[in-house]
Amino acid sequence: MHTYILQIETSTSMCSVALVESGIVRQHESVNEPNVHASQLTLLIQALLDQENIGFKDLSAIAVSMGPGSYTGLRIGVSTAKGLCYALDIPLIAVNTLDAIYSGFRANEGKSLSYDLYIPMLDARRMEVYCASFDDTGRSVVTTQALIIDGTSFDQLIVQYPRICLFGPGADKLKDVFSTGQGVDIIEEVQTNATDMSKIAFDKYQAKDFEDVAYFEPYYLKDFVATTAKKRPGL
């Protein structure tokens, strides 16, 4: 029996979907543009299924990047995933965005690299990032957190983990913070992708580690703060 999982990643400007059969990616589609999730996500999903001649009724589960990340992107991705699960009566699988970035990096770009500590990062504006830390065996060392980065942020970790690797959409802006020889390397241009969650999602599917569709909410990590435009003088 086929196990098809539709995977949705909308935590950053990357809007990405993947169709995965028993943990193996069959097809994926992505658009990397700001503010296109609402208009493009369902179109990408339909195009993906059409390419593989798979109907919605053939899906076994929906997996979604649960956060942290962009408030609006996460809300759209999770709402779409929940709607599909309701309509199709199939389970919802939630995958931590940073866990997925780490898993995809180690399976692809980072396969040939050897570090003591791996830190996937998402941009949280200015010099703040969302991050987590994993050792070279994949064990979680520091769980998901929001962190303001400066040149001393990893001084304590370096004592135990002399070679640290930073990667993900939040890491690129830090290339001027850490100089060569500090023990902190930055692997640039590692983006989020729905394919990154394949192993985690399939493992959760096999373990029946599902979310309550009615009550599940994205993991925003920080409260959303709405801003209003400043009034011009005299108005």
Side-chain angles (χ1 to χ4, degrees):
M1 181 178 178
H2 298 287
T3 300
Y4 294 119
I5 299 178
L6 174 66
Q7 299 175 176
I8 298 172
E9 165 56 70
T10 57
S11 65
T12 67
S13 61
M14 181 75 76
C15 183
S16 176
V17 295
L19 180 66
V20 179
E21 181 180 1
S22 300
I24 306 299
V25 177
R26 284 189 53 150
Q27 190 61 263
H28 63 94
E29 292 282 344
S30 296
V31 175
N32 190 10
E33 295 178 25
N35 308 315
V36 299
H37 301 73
S39 62
Q40 293 296 312
L41 179 56
T42 54
L43 298 178
L44 289 178
I45 292 171
Q46 189 63 65
L48 184 76
L49 297 179
D50 288 347
Q51 287 179 54
E52 291 298 308
N53 197 27
I54 298 293
F56 283 99
K57 62 180 176 53
D58 298 315
L59 298 175
S60 305
I62 308 293
V64 66
S65 181
M66 63 180 281
S70 158
Y71 179 91
T72 302
L74 291 172
R75 179 174 54 79
I76 292 169
V78 169
S79 296
T80 301
K82 289 173 67 171
L84 288 171
C85 289
Y86 269 126
L88 301 171
D89 192 25
I90 56 177
L92 174 66
I93 299 168
V95 179
N96 182 290
T97 309
L98 293 166
D99 291 353
I101 296 172
Y102 168 78
S103 179
F105 179 75
R106 292 301 303 272
N108 297 294
E109 299 99 321
K111 184 184 295 184
S112 61
L113 302 178
S114 179
Y115 286 91
D116 302 304
L117 197 68
Y118 295 83
I119 304 181
M121 292 181 161
L122 290 159
D123 190 8
R125 297 185 182 179
R126 298 185 179 86
M127 295 308 292
E128 188 171 15
V129 298
Y130 302 126
C131 62
S133 302
F134 303 85
D135 68 14
D136 61 346
T137 69
R139 181 180 65 88
S140 174
V141 175
V142 180
T143 56
T144 302
Q145 62 177 335
L147 194 64
I148 297 174
I149 301 294
D150 61 33
T152 66
S153 295
F154 304 110
D155 285 359
Q156 290 185 334
L157 282 173
I158 286 176
V159 174
Q160 186 174 356
Y161 303 98
R163 299 186 69 244
I164 295 176
C165 176
L166 313 181
F167 56 95
D172 292 5
K173 66 183 180 182
L174 305 178
K175 58 185 178 182
D176 294 330
V177 177
F178 299 100
S179 61
T180 303
Q182 278 184 278
V184 179
D185 290 343
I186 296 172
I187 309 299
E188 297 183 57
E189 299 182 1
V190 176
Q191 301 294 329
T192 51
N193 196 299
T195 59
D196 290 344
M197 66 179 81
S198 301
K199 182 181 186 308
I200 300 172
F202 187 56
D203 286 348
K204 285 195 167 193
Y205 180 82
Q206 290 183 303
K208 294 183 170 22
D209 185 2
F210 305 138
E211 303 298 327
D212 186 321
V213 177
Y215 295 101
F216 177 74
E217 293 292 335
Y219 178 38
Y220 296 120
L221 192 59
K222 294 197 302 183
D223 292 334
F224 174 67
V225 178
T227 59
T228 55
K230 294 181 180 179
K231 290 185 177 181
R232 291 165 54 191
L235 296 181

